[in-house]
């Protein structure tokens, strides 16, 4: 089935499966936790369009993988999880790590097809322990052909015409590009659509790069204004979920007309429903717009309003970036990161403020080169995603670097995967933006003062972590390079050294102001009377 990558943790009864996979040329990456292994396998599915495999033992191992399976389902990424289970003659007897994992067994080709056809997602294949070393007559083994790529469906032409008519009558249109467009490899057609129609576009976090962030029609820096005032919105591979405030007031107009492609009728009644593959649907829209020779005027009041907001927000961010006070704030840190990391790197990001601020501060120029917490908002995905991206890049684009930017809390979920990174010598650069906590933390003096009050279990703020933790020493312990930085010049030196060394894993632990936050958001509809 053209499976290339398998991630997991071996044990009874599946060790031999990993050995057999390597024997036929599948790359096996042994992880330190099944959850991280499952996140890695799912990221392979997104990056390549063919599922990665997560191999787990029965019972606890299988349960640890459920988080990754749920994450894959919510993000619509293909994933195969292969789990061992107790011998069939020991079922319900209390066998080693016995757990009711499935009620029936599936077949490999069927499982593969299930993961990529229709709405992609995770599929579980259960292999009883006595199957692993079962001997059978070789002539009785059935070999099936490699599963074909999923069929691509087109939207009905009448709905395409309807959608184009709605857009052509818009006074304040907006195109929202989601990660579904990236998964469908729709970047060429989406870029053509933006250029042909002159539409302002807003990428979702993982839709960044489908059209480059530096494209003149990108209005990401005026996100709230664009969403609140658009009268017609085209959704290409994006969902009206929590990331887009459900498409409801006050973040959206009460009378906004929404054209939905792929996922239909979610939270709002669409003005037009385009059911089909995103790349195919975008091509249909291009053909219809080309016939009508319609282009949204760049001199409109809508464009003027958006450009003014973009300039205003960029000036505010620039002011925060240029602050010279110590400890550094998020914006200062991201300015130096943006200036010194490769333009074409693959960015992995997770954390609260770290991910949110990084989304706007760090541009993407190519599709499928930003991985983050995604639709499920999952923390702990970072290092698993980074390992998957590094393995894929190693085989396909070895010149690309993987940069993983983590909040200190997010890093803690899977920090021991640093050993995995060093064991396989993956030149990943990890940057931990360390504010001593979740959202916010305490500095050393405040922590010491707090301890005078009694047991930290009753006195320490639930959001706080140990101040000034030296996460970089974990990387050094496994043979990578670790840097602890507190000043801009130290950060610059560490970034330059890490980027220049394209062979050694590195971790830069950046200590920032524990009170550093996002710039204040402006929501004019929030007044004292309605708060």
């Amino acid at each position: 089935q053209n499976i290339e990558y398998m991630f997991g943790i071996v044990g009874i009864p599946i060790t031999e499966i990993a050995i057999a996979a390597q024997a036929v040329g599948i790359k096996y990456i042994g992880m330190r936790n099944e959850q991280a292994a499952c996140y890695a396998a799912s990221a392979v599915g997104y990056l390549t369009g063919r599922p990665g495999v997560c191999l787990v033992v029965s019972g606890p191992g299988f349960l640890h993988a459920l988080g990754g399976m749920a994450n894959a389902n919510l993000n619509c990424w293909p994933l195969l999880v292969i789990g061992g289970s107790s011998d069939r003659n020991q079922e319900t007897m209390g066998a080693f790590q016995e757990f009711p994992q499935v009620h029936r067994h599936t077949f490999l080709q069927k499982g593969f097809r299930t993961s990529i056809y229709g709405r992609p997602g995770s599929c579980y294949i259960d292999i009883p322990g006595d199957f692993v070393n079962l001997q059978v007559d070789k002539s009785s083994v059935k070999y099936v052909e490699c599963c074909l790529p999923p069929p691509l469906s087109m939207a009905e032409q009448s709905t395409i015409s309807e959608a184009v008519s709605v857009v052509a009558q818009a006074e304040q249109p907006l195109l929202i590009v989601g990660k579904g467009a990236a998964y469908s490899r729709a970047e060429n057609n989406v870029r053509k659509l933006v250029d042909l129609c002159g539409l302002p576009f807003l990428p979702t976090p993982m839709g960044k790069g489908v059209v480059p962030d530096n494209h003149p029609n990108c209005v990401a820096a005026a996100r709230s204004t664009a969403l609140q005032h658009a009268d017609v919105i085209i959704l290409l591979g994006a969902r009206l979920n929590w990331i887009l405030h459900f498409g409801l007031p006050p973040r959206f107009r009460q009378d906004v007309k929404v054209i939905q492609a792929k996922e239909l009728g979610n939270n709002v009644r669409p003005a037009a429903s385009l059911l089909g593959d995103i790349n195919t649907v975008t091509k249909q829209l291009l053909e219809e717009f080309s016939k009508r020779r319609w282009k949204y005027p760049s001199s409109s009041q809508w464009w003027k309003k958006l450009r003014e907001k973009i300039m205003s927000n960029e000036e505010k961010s620039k002011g925060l970036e240029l602050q010279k006070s110590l400890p550094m704030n998020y914006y200062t840190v991201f300015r130096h990161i943006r200036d010194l990391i490769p333009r074409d790197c693959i960015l992995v990001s997770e954390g609260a403020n770290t991910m949110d601020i990084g989304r706007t501060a760090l541009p993407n120029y190519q599709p499928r080169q930003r991985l983050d917490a995604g639709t499920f908002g999952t923390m702990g995905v970072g290092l698993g995603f980074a390992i998957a991206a590094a393995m894929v890049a190693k085989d396909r684009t070895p010149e690309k670097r993987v940069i993983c930017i983590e909040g200190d809390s997010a890093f803690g979920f899977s920090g021991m995967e640093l050993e995995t990174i060093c064991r396989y010598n993956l030149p990943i650069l990890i940057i931990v933006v360390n504010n001593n906590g979740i959202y916010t933390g305490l500095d050393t003096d405040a922590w010491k003062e707090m301890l005078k009050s009694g047991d930290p279990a009753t006195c320490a703020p639930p959001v706080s972590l140990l101040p000034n933790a030296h996460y970089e020493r974990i990387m050094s312990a496994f043979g990578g390079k670790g840097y602890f930085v507190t000043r801009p010049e130290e950060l610059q030196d560490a970034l330059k050294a890490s980027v220049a060394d394209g062979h050694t894993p590195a971790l830069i632990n950046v200590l920032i102001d524990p009170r550093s936050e996002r710039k204040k958001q402006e929501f004019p509809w929030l007044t004292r009377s309605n708060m």
Side-chain angles (χ1 to χ4, degrees), residues 131-366:
F131 266 41
V132 175
N133 289 308
L134 184 67
Q135 293 194 359
V136 297
D137 186 340
K138 193 173 182 179
S139 63
S140 69
V141 178
K142 283 187 177 181
Y143 290 94
V144 294
E145 293 182 356
C146 183
C147 181
L148 295 173
L152 303 179
S153 58
M154 300 173 65
E156 293 184 12
Q157 187 56 40
S158 60
T159 62
I160 293 290
S161 299
E162 183 182 4
V164 170
S165 296
V166 172
V167 175
Q169 296 170 18
E171 295 182 1
Q172 299 180 167
L174 178 66
L175 173 66
I176 299 180
V177 181
K179 68 175 178 294
Y183 181 78
S184 294
R185 274 57 180 173
E187 54 267 20
N188 290 336
N189 283 327
V190 174
R191 292 175 190 181
K192 289 177 184 177
L193 182 66
V194 170
D195 291 336
L196 176 70
C197 299
L199 293 168
F201 77 90
L202 174 69
T204 65
M206 288 181 61
K208 284 163 61 69
V210 172
V211 183
D213 282 349
N214 62 349
H215 191 286
N217 287 33
C218 181
V219 296
R223 183 179 189 272
S224 295
T225 298
L227 293 177
Q228 187 190 1
H229 297 286
D231 62 352
V232 172
I233 291 176
I234 311 170
L235 290 171
L236 289 180
R239 292 183 247 181
L240 291 177
N241 55 18
W242 63 276
I243 295 174
L244 290 173
H245 317 292
F246 313 105
L248 301 175
R251 292 297 190 100
F252 288 73
R253 285 172 51 151
Q254 184 75 45
D255 61 348
V256 64
K257 295 179 180 178
V258 178
I259 297 166
Q260 290 181 316
K262 194 76 171 180
E263 185 166 302
L264 312 178
N266 184 24
N267 293 322
V268 300
R269 183 175 180 178
S273 301
L274 309 178
L275 180 60
D277 170 71
I278 294 298
N279 191 29
T280 306
V281 167
T282 306
K283 187 176 180 180
Q284 289 180 273
L285 288 170
L286 264 173
E287 292 170 351
E288 187 67 21
F289 274 117
S290 296
K291 291 177 188 175
R292 303 198 187 193
R293 299 181 180 276
W294 178 86
K295 187 166 187 175
Y296 185 70
S298 60
S299 59
S300 68
Q301 288 298 309
W302 178 228
W303 261 122
K304 181 181 178 182
K305 182 173 187 173
L306 290 171
R307 290 182 183 123
E308 287 175 352
K309 193 62 180 176
I310 288 170
M311 289 182 63
S312 171
N313 284 343
E314 287 180 344
E315 282 299 313
K316 290 176 184 176
S317 295
K318 189 175 181 180
L320 291 166
E321 289 178 355
L322 296 176
Q323 284 184 2
K324 296 184 178 181
S325 58
L326 294 175
M328 293 180 284
N329 66 43
Y330 284 103
Y331 293 87
T332 303
V333 170
F334 280 117
R335 174 171 69 90
H336 293 298
I337 293 174
R338 182 181 65 235
D339 291 347
L340 293 172
I341 62 174
R343 180 185 173 97
D344 65 344
C345 68
I346 300 171
L347 284 171
V348 180
S349 181
E350 67 169 333
N353 291 332
T354 299
M355 184 175 65
D356 290 342
I357 298 170
R359 182 186 72 240
T360 57
L362 301 175
N364 289 88
Y365 304 100
Q366 297 177 37

Side-chain angles (χ1 to χ4, degrees), residues 15 218 308 314 348 448 496 518 526:
T15 302
C218 181
E308 287 175 352
E314 287 180 344
V348 180
K448 289 179 179 177
K496 290 175 183 176
R518 296 176 62 183
L526 287 179

